[in-house]
């Protein structure tokens, strides 16, 4: 009887969603290749026999370089470090490449400095090189996976893996947390662009190629003996199937769908000897993957014979029921071999040590986990390769962004482009007069997306991408070299009438849950270039739309107005690849044809469950000739208020379901502010409107002193869970203007289920802001957590209190990242 198809898996309810029981015998048996010699395995066992208990516990814990020093690695015998998206050597995430190698040496030396009688075990450093060595200034940045999925070229994927591995080796790391092999089913998910496709067969066709590119073909030869690094497929399992596309959410699907759709990429991963697998933050039918013994031990290690190590995601063990960031024996007992505990590693080390001693974690389970860590290190060749700076390729900084590497990335850009519409304007004449417009035309960070130099990829300018090419740069080079002219104007104004206009627009960078969206459409402010397209068309100028995006989105308005429409995805550092396909050569024929095909269906509306406009696999070629266009309906099918779940107060008004209240800080009289001007607490507080961005876009508060104090709060009746945002080092952003010098700094707090939950901290930086200037003050959410707040049930994310006089204006309260702030508040403990 033939195996059920992908479609059958989606349509047939053989297993009932809601049950988290696994049947390992239904999963495929896979042959993990031989990757260690008998001598290598004997070395692992000999080390295990010599290690102290403290060494063993240290080997299964991974700390972030922003929260650990080489001295602490020496003291705790930690097995691994990582650099998170916002972590860099000695606190500088934009540090030059040489500093990364210097720190790699320091960690290595610390790990090898052991007292007599203890075996020296080198540390291993993991990094999120998810589209090139993307944490390093000057490295080659490849298109994100959604674009590579459009290219339909497994051989290209292997070459990308090879280049990425070489550039990682330059700065001394040995392990990348890539490739992501998610199979996204809901493109509202903020990590959807990390998946190659919504089709499991396409994803599976790429996995082996990328792993061979990164690690080399499976072999007993040390990985580091060649130009390679250890790979990690992620996130096991079904991170692309969570309900409503919510990152770190729950995949409420059958075991059949889990196996056939989301398990499919792990078969070639294991067959190609992937060294590590990272479990997902998310759950399957209510059980967090980091503690699902059935999927981790019984299926992955048992039935599918995975022989590498299993590592969690960033503090993901802390989300397991009954666990915290500081303690989670349940994850280890489920089969996790290494806990990624970036900033919680000290307490986790102590608790794990105690749990082994009291039998909560068996010595057998600990030894199995440690042996798997040691096997990966043995397989890498860490025991004989010396310190990072002594290894092949280390310190060869000319390889970062080398010309042949950039050529591979440029090829990837060309092949990933998908042509959705062409009424005949393409290809453009290279010797023409070209206008380039749109707010994304000359922004390398924006075209690169998240996970680029920083976690979110925001707050970066083109100067941080030496050697890279924006889309504008590529167009200008193509046109001027052919005798034409190019003009850049964001708003589409021009000095001389152009023969054609190219308008570049689309998404801004995001990563993980910060990219989750409620509907499949651009935020209103990102649609402004469409008005530019319309105006240019009304002036009789042909328009080519180029969309920067991590996912298919409803953009019918742009599709209707443009003469040609290109989806460029998130192309990375080599924007010249877009121009390569848009222009004709000297003979009038295109130099390169479009090759890309949609890796997922393109929506006809902004509804996730709406109709399809362009099916999976759609993509035009020049050979198709000019195509007639039937205007599309311009109804998104959803509410279009542009609301953002991370914004609580904006344009002078609280967000939907939120209320702005003014009250006595010690309880009592309270006023919900619905109109202005208004007075509260017996006239001691006056609230008026002031301008910020738009007329009356902020609220001003004039507060008289009182021993009982005054509280200004944004609250809701339905508490929200901010635990993942807290774990993700997000900030509470307050855009404020002091209208008079404060005599005392206010205090800030959050409220949990109607109480202050002890999450109050003084904010000295608020009182030190310059008078009369709008500033965005950022307060780490972890400040409130440290002060005792339950971040999983927040009913008021903003509560400002003062007993002194105060005059200030409030424009916006939202969640954001470090790149969004003017002033960063400290985390006092009093």
């Amino acid at each position: 009887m033939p195996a059920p198809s992908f479609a059958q898996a989606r349509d047939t309810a053989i297993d009932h969603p809601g049950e988290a029981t696994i049947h390992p015998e239904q999963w495929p048996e896979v042959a993990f290749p031989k990757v260690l010699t008998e001598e290598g395995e004997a070395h692992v066992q000999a080390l295990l026999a010599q290690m102290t208990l403290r060494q063993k516990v240290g080997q299964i814990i991974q700390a972030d370089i922003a929260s650990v020093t080489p001295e602490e690695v020496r003291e705790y015998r930690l097995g691994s470090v990582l650099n998170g998206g916002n972590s860099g050597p000695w606190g500088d995430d934009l540090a030059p490449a040489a500093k990364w190698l210097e720190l790699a040496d320091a960690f290595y030396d610390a790990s090898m400095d052991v007292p007599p009688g203890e075996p020296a075990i080198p540390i291993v450093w993991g990094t999120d090189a998810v589209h090139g060595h993307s944490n390093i200034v000057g490295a080659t940045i490849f298109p994100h996976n959604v674009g590579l999925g459009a290219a339909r070229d497994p051989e290209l994927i292997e070459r990308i893996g090879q280049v990425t591995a070489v550039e990682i080796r330059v700065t001394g790391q040995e392990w990348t947390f890539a490739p992501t092999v998610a199979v996204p089913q809901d493109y509202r998910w903020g990590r959807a662009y990390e998946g190659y496709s919504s089709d499991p067969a396409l994803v599976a066709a790429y996995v082996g190629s990328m792993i061979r590119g990164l690690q080399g073909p499976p072999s007993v030869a040390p990985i580091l003996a060649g130009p390679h690094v250890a790979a990690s497929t992620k996130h096991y399992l079904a991170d692309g199937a969570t309900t409503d596309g919510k990152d770190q959410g729950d995949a409420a699907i059958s075991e059949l769908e889990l196996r056939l759709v989301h398990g499919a990429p792990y078969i070639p991963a294991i067959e190609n000897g992937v060294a590590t697998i990272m479990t997902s933050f998310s759950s399957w039918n209510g059980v967090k993957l980091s503690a699902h013994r059935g999927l981790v031990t019984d299926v992955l290690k048992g039935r599918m014979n995975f022989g590498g190590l299993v590592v969690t995601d960033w503090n993901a063990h802390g989300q397991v029921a009954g666990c915290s960031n500081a303690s989670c024996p349940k994850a280890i007992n489920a089969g996790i071999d290494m806990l990624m505990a970036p900033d919680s590693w000290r307490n986790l080390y102590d608790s794990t040590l105690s749990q082994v001693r009291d039998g909560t974690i068996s010595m057998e389970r600990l030894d199995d986990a440690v042996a798997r860590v040691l096997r990966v290190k043995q397989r890498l060749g860490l025991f004989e390769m010396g310190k990072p700076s002594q290894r092949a390729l280390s310190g060869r900084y000319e390889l970062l962004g080398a010309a042949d590497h950039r050529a591979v990335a440029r090829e990837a850009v060309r092949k990933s482009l998908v042509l959705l519409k062409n009424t005949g304007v393409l290809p453009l004449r290279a010797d023409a007069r070209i206008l380039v417009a749109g707010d994304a035309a000359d922004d390398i960070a924006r075209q690169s997306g998240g996970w680029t130099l920083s976690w979110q990829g925001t707050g970066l300018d083109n100067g941080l991408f030496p050697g890279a090419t924006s889309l504008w740069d590529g167009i200008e080079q193509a046109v001027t070299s052919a005798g034409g002219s190019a003009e850049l104007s964001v708003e589409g104004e021009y000095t001389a009438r152009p023969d054609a206009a190219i308008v570049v627009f689309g998404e801004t960078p995001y990563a993980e849950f910060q990219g989750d969206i409620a509907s499949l459409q651009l935020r209103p402010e990102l649609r402004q270039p469409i008005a530019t397209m319309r105006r240019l068309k009304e002036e009789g100028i042909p328009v080519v739309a180029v969309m920067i995006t991590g996912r298919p989105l409803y953009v019918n308005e742009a599709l209707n107005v443009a003469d040609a429409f290109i989806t460029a995805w998130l192309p990375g550092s080599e924007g010249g690849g877009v121009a390569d396909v848009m222009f004709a050569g000297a003979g009038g024929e295109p130099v390169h044809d479009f090759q890309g095909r949609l890796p997922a269906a393109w929506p006809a509306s902004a509804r996730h469950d709406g109709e399809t406009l362009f099916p999976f696999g759609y993509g035009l070629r020049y050979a198709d000739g000019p195509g007639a266009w039937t205007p599309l309906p311009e109804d998104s099918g959803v509410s279009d208020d542009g609301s953002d779940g991370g914004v609580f107060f904006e344009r002078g008004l609280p967000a939907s379901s939120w209320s702005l209240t003014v009250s006595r800080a010690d309880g009592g009289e309270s006023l919900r502010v619905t109109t202005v001007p208004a007075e509260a607490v017996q006239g001691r507080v006056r609230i008026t409107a002031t301008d910020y961005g738009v007329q009356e876009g902020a609220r001003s508060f004039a507060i008289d002193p009182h021993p009982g104090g005054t509280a200004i709060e944004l609250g809701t009746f339905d508490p929200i869970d901010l635990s993942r945002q807290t774990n993700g080092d997000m900030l509470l952003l307050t855009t404020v203007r002091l209208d008079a010098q404060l005599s005392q700094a206010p205090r800030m707090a959050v409220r949990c289920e109607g109480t202050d939950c002890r999450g109050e901290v003084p904010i000295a930086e608020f009182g030190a802001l310059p008078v009369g200037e709008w500033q965005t003050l950022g307060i780490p959410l972890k400040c409130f957590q440290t002060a005792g707040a339950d971040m999983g049930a927040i009913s008021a994310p903003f509560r400002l209190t003062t007993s002194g006089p105060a005059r200030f204006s409030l424009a916006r309260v939202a969640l954001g990242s470090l790149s969004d702030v003017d002033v960063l508040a400290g985390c006092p403990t009093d």
Side-chain angles (χ1 to χ4, degrees):
M1 180 176 178
S5 68
F6 170 41
Q8 288 172 318
R10 295 302 310 273
D11 299 337
T12 306
I14 291 180
D15 303 298
H16 298 288
E19 297 179 0
T21 303
I22 282 293
H23 303 86
E25 71 280 1
Q26 297 176 7
W27 290 68
E29 289 189 273
V30 186
F32 190 77
K34 183 176 181 179
V35 293
L36 283 186
T37 63
E38 286 74 13
E39 293 79 7
E41 178 62 25
H43 184 226
V44 167
Q45 296 303 322
L47 288 171
L48 196 61
Q50 299 172 55
M51 293 171 68
T52 66
L53 177 59
R54 293 181 62 85
Q55 272 192 304
K56 290 179 179 180
V57 171
Q59 283 299 301
I60 68 168
I61 292 178
Q62 184 181 57
D64 183 74
I65 64 172
S67 301
V68 70
T69 65
E71 291 72 24
E72 288 169 324
V73 165
R74 179 186 298 109
E75 178 183 355
Y76 287 87
R77 303 288 181 258
L78 297 182
S80 180
V81 293
L82 82 151
N83 57 282
N86 290 324
S87 302
W90 296 285
D92 182 5
D93 61 331
L94 300 176
K99 289 295 183 181
W100 292 80
L101 183 56
E102 182 182 341
L103 185 59
D105 271 359
F107 279 125
Y108 175 87
D109 288 342
S111 69
M112 300 299 283
D113 183 8
V114 297
E118 286 191 14
I121 301 173
I123 200 164
V124 61
W125 183 339
T127 184
D128 281 294
V130 295
H131 62 140
H133 196 17
S134 50
N135 292 282
I136 307 298
V137 173
T140 308
I141 308 297
F142 290 94
H144 268 297
N145 285 355
V146 65
L148 299 181
R152 303 295 205 277
D153 191 335
E155 187 273 336
L156 171 64
I157 300 303
E158 185 164 347
R159 286 188 282 131
I160 290 172
Q162 291 169 347
V163 170
T164 301
V166 166
E167 297 201 10
I168 293 171
R169 292 290 298 276
V170 169
T171 57
Q173 289 70 52
E174 307 98 353
W175 178 13
T176 175
F177 303 130
T180 301
V181 297
V183 188
Q185 300 301 295
D186 188 331
Y187 278 80
R188 293 174 294 181
W189 183 36
R191 304 195 77 156
Y193 65 78
E194 296 184 52
Y196 295 115
S197 172
S198 62
D199 179 71
L202 177 54
V203 177
Y206 273 17
V207 175
S209 296
M210 181 57 81
I211 291 172
R212 289 191 300 274
L214 290 167
Q215 295 187 169
S219 168
V220 294
I223 289 174
L224 297 180
H228 303 299
V229 295
S232 184
T233 44
K234 63 183 187 182
H235 302 86
Y236 182 86
L237 188 64
D239 51 340
T242 57
T243 301
D244 296 328
K246 183 179 180 181
D247 189 44
Q248 304 182 21
D250 183 43
I253 59 176
S254 70
E255 184 179 358
L256 180 66
E257 184 174 342
L258 182 74
R259 171 166 54 87
L260 292 186
V261 178
H262 304 282
Y266 288 89
I267 298 173
I270 294 170
E271 289 174 338
N272 282 275
V274 67
T276 72
I277 289 175
M278 183 185 294
T279 52
S280 179
F281 276 115
S282 59
S283 308
W284 176 58
N285 288 332
V287 178
K288 286 289 182 180
L289 268 298
S290 296
H292 200 302
R293 180 179 173 84
L295 283 169
V296 175
T297 295
D298 299 340
V299 169
L300 185 60
K301 293 179 174 181
R303 181 69 173 180
M304 299 180 77
N305 297 303
F306 173 59
L309 74 86
V310 179
V311 61
T312 61
D313 209 332
W314 183 280
N315 275 334
H317 60 277
Q319 297 186 10
V320 171
C323 289
S324 68
N325 288 356
S327 175
C328 194
K330 189 181 293 186
I332 298 171
N333 288 335
I336 297 298
D337 304 309
M338 182 178 286
L339 294 167
M340 186 186 291
D343 53 358
S344 58
W345 62 267
R346 294 175 187 84
N347 291 335
L348 183 65
Y349 176 94
D350 291 338
S351 66
T352 304
L353 188 64
S354 297
Q355 289 152 6
V356 176
R357 285 172 172 162
D358 68 17
T360 303
I361 300 169
S362 70
M363 185 59 69
E364 180 183 18
R365 172 75 271 268
L366 178 64
D367 282 350
D368 174 61
V370 175
R372 287 173 175 268
V373 174
L374 295 178
R375 288 188 189 107
V376 170
K377 294 184 176 186
Q378 180 73 29
R379 182 181 174 190
L380 277 165
L382 288 177
F383 294 98
E384 59 264 21
M385 291 295 172
K387 67 173 60 180
S389 63
Q390 296 173 343
R391 301 171 192 160
L393 302 176
S394 290
R396 291 188 57 188
Y397 304 117
E398 74 278 4
L399 293 175
L400 294 172
D404 57 337
H405 294 179
R406 293 188 183 279
V408 175
R410 186 163 180 162
E411 177 187 350
V413 175
R414 285 198 301 269
K415 291 181 173 180
S416 68
L417 304 175
V418 178
L419 182 63
L420 295 180
K421 176 183 180 181
N422 184 21
T423 60
V425 66
L426 291 177
L428 298 169
R429 287 183 12 251
D431 60 354
R433 182 182 289 116
I434 301 296
L435 171 67
V436 180
D439 53 9
D442 191 26
D443 192 332
I444 298 170
R446 185 161 172 183
Q447 72 192 41
S448 298
W451 297 108
T452 304
L453 299 187
S454 68
W455 177 34
Q456 294 295 316
T458 55
L460 309 170
D461 59 46
N462 286 358
L464 291 170
F465 297 90
T469 305
S470 70
L471 269 65
W472 153 250
D473 291 331
I475 294 166
E476 183 186 36
Q477 292 166 14
V479 171
T480 56
S481 64
S485 64
E487 181 177 1
L488 175 66
S489 170
V490 170
E491 301 298 332
E493 305 295 338
Y494 49 83
T495 56
R497 181 179 176 83
D499 297 313
I502 300 168
V503 182
V504 187
F505 76 112
E507 292 193 292
T508 50
Y510 54 83
E512 298 192 52
F513 52 84
Q514 292 203 39
D516 287 357
I517 54 178
S519 58
L520 294 171
Q521 60 183 334
L522 292 170
R523 300 194 308 271
E525 67 271 20
L526 298 179
R527 304 173 208 160
Q528 294 174 2
I530 300 175
T532 301
M533 298 180 206
R534 180 174 291 104
R535 177 174 53 78
L536 291 168
K537 278 296 298 294
E538 290 172 351
E539 295 172 11
I541 298 169
V543 171
V544 178
V546 178
M547 186 175 182
I548 300 295
T549 183
R551 48 194 157 198
L553 294 173
Y554 164 80
V555 283
N556 285 11
E557 191 177 358
L559 282 161
N560 281 336
V561 73
D563 297 287
F565 191 102
I566 300 167
T567 302
W569 309 110
L570 299 169
S573 62
E574 306 314 300
V578 177
D580 287 346
V581 186
M582 294 175 64
F583 292 97
E589 295 299 316
V591 179
H592 297 279
D593 201 351
F594 286 90
Q595 177 175 318
R597 291 183 284 158
L598 288 177
W602 195 278
S605 73
R607 295 176 56 88
H608 161 65
D609 57 354
E611 295 182 358
T612 292
L613 179 60
F614 301 114
F616 169 82
Y618 183 86
L620 299 174
R621 304 289 186 270
Y622 281 129
D624 297 326
W629 184 258
T630 301
L632 302 170
E634 296 183 4
D635 178 6
S636 69
V638 300
S639 173
D640 192 20
D641 60 4
S643 62
D644 185 335
V647 177
F648 309 114
F649 184 81
E650 191 168 37
R651 299 183 181 91
L653 297 171
S656 176
S657 80
W658 294 89
S659 297
L660 173 66
T661 60
V662 179
S663 64
R664 281 185 53 148
D666 60 358
E669 184 182 351
S670 175
L671 171 72
R672 179 171 177 242
V673 181
T674 56
T675 61
V676 289
E679 292 187 352
V681 287
Q682 299 180 346
R684 288 193 292 103
V685 182
R686 281 82 61 197
I687 308 103
T688 56
T690 190
D691 295 344
Y692 176 81
V694 297
Q695 186 175 3
E696 299 191 358
R699 295 293 177 260
S700 294
F701 300 87
I703 302 172
D704 295 337
H706 191 275
T710 300
I712 298 172
E713 179 177 290
L714 287 163
T716 182
F717 290 110
D718 298 313
I720 60 174
D721 183 354
L722 295 181
S723 55
R724 62 175 181 165
Q725 290 87 340
T726 305
N727 184 44
D729 290 324
M730 291 188 70
L731 312 174
L732 178 69
L733 306 180
T734 302
T735 301
V736 66
R737 181 188 68 198
L738 285 191
D739 297 319
Q741 195 66 53
L742 298 181
S743 60
Q744 61 178 242
R747 300 178 73 86
M748 294 285 287
V750 295
R751 290 177 68 88
C752 315
E753 296 283 8
T755 71
D756 65 6
C757 57
R758 306 186 313 282
E760 186 177 76
V761 292
I763 305 296
E765 293 82 359
F766 193 110
L769 294 174
V771 174
E773 295 182 22
W774 288 105
Q775 298 272 283
T776 297
L777 174 68
I779 306 167
L781 291 176
K782 284 184 177 177
C783 290
F784 304 117
Q785 183 182 59
T786 300
D790 175 8
M791 302 307 290
I794 299 298
S795 54
F798 174 91
R799 178 177 169 83
L800 181 149
T801 60
T802 181
S803 58
R807 303 288 186 276
F808 64 88
S809 299
L810 184 66
R812 189 171 189 265
V813 178
L815 301 180
S817 58
L818 191 60
S819 62
D820 302 315
V821 308
D822 299 311
V823 178
L824 178 65
C827 253
T829 57
D830 63 329

